Amino acid sequence: QQQVKQSPQSLIVQKGGISIINCAYENTAFDYFPWYQQFPGKGPALLIAIRPDVSEKKEGRFTISFNKSAKQFSLHIMDSQPGDSATYFCAASSNDYKLSFGAGTTVTVRA
Amino acid sequence: ETGVTQTPRHLVMGMTNKKSLKCEQHLGHNAMYWYKQSAKKPLELMFVYNFKEQTENNSVPSRFSPECPNSSHLFLHLHTLQPEDSALYLCASSQELLATDTQYFGPGTRLTVL
C-alpha cells in the first residue's frame, strides 16, 4: 500500500516556466516532508523539507506548499531551467527514521 | 573520496550466481541503509543499520543478505536472485537514525538478473 501518492508521473515545461508536483498522504502521523532530487546516474539528494507547523517554505526557486487539512503538499519550481531536469521524489515520515517515498516525477525543462 | 560510494556501478548476473554489492560512506555517519529503486515505483527500504547493528529488515527475501562490518561499510550479498530483482540498489547514510537527519545517497548499483 502506497502511503504517499505523487503526481504527475512526468511533466515537460518550457524554460522560465513553473513546474508543479503534487503529493498526497493519508497517515496523519506524518510530520516531516522532504523532497529529493535525482539526476540520471546519481542517487537522490535532499532538496528541501518542511514540517507541518508552516504552510510554505521557500529556498531559492524551490517552494514547498503544505495543506495539512487536505493532507497534501506540493513542490513548485519557479523560473524552471534546463539544469532542473531531473526526477523529483516527495517523502513523508512520522517521528522515526523511515521515509515513505512517492513514485517520482520526471521533469524535463525545454530550452 | 567524499560522500557515499558504491561498487560496482553495474552488475549483470545469472540466477545461480553469487555476488556482493559494496557501499562505503566517508561522512562519519552512524546509520546506513539499503534501498531498492525500480522504475516508476517508490524507493523501497530494505535494511537499516545503526552503529553496525541491524535495526530493520523490511520483509526482504533471504536471497538478499546484508553485512555491516563497521559504521563506514555496508555490503549486500546476493544469491539465487530472480529476474524481478533487477533494479537500482541504493545505499544511503545519515548522521543518526532520525527521519529529520538528511540521508545521503550513493549513485547506486544497476543490477540486471538474467
Side-chain angles (χ1 to χ4, degrees), chain B residues 11 21 35-39 44 83-90 108-113:
Chain B
L11 179 62
L21 310 184
Y35 286 90
K36 176 183 180 182
Q37 184 176 26
S38 303
E44 299 174 45
E84 60 264 29
D85 297 322
S86 299
L88 182 69
Y89 288 84
L90 291 163
T109 295
R110 175 68 62 185
L111 174 67
T112 302
V113 181

Side-chain angles (χ1 to χ4, degrees), chain A residues 53-72:
Chain A
D53 52 342
V54 296
S55 60
E56 186 175 284
K57 183 174 181 179
K58 183 177 181 180
E59 289 187 4
R61 296 182 293 105
F62 299 89
T63 300
I64 300 178
S65 298
F66 185 81
N67 186 329
K68 189 173 182 178
S69 61
K71 292 183 285 186
Q72 295 176 347

Side-chain angles (χ1 to χ4, degrees), chain A residues 1 3 96-101, chain B residues 33-36 42-49 54-62 64 66 76:
Chain A
Q1 184 182 354
Q3 295 204 59
D96 65 8
Y97 57 85
K98 298 180 189 177
L99 290 173
S100 295
F101 284 88
Chain B
Y33 313 75
W34 278 117
Y35 286 90
K36 176 183 180 182
L43 273 70
E44 299 174 45
L45 181 64
M46 300 176 70
F47 301 104
V48 180
Y49 280 81
Q54 188 178 120
T55 59
E56 179 82 20
N57 177 338
N58 201 21
S59 302
V60 180
S62 59
F64 295 90
L76 188 63

Side-chain angles (χ1 to χ4, degrees), chain B residues 88-103:
Chain B
L88 182 69
Y89 288 84
L90 291 163
C91 174
S93 70
S94 62
Q95 184 63 58
E96 303 297 341
L97 201 60
L98 295 170
T100 50
D101 264 6
T102 300
Q103 291 187 26

Side-chain angles (χ1 to χ4, degrees), chain A residues 15-86:
Chain A
K15 180 181 175 182
I18 302 173
S19 304
I20 302 174
I21 305 169
N22 300 299
C23 289
Y25 63 95
E26 288 298 323
N27 187 347
T28 55
F30 285 153
D31 64 355
Y32 177 67
F33 303 88
W35 285 86
Y36 280 79
Q37 179 188 53
Q38 185 177 27
F39 293 106
K42 304 285 187 182
L46 180 67
L47 182 64
I48 186 173
I50 196 168
R51 300 297 290 258
D53 52 342
V54 296
S55 60
E56 186 175 284
K57 183 174 181 179
K58 183 177 181 180
E59 289 187 4
R61 296 182 293 105
F62 299 89
T63 300
I64 300 178
S65 298
F66 185 81
N67 186 329
K68 189 173 182 178
S69 61
K71 292 183 285 186
Q72 295 176 347
F73 58 110
S74 60
L75 176 70
H76 291 61
I77 307 174
M78 313 300 286
D79 186 27
S80 296
Q81 300 297 311
D84 297 331
S85 297

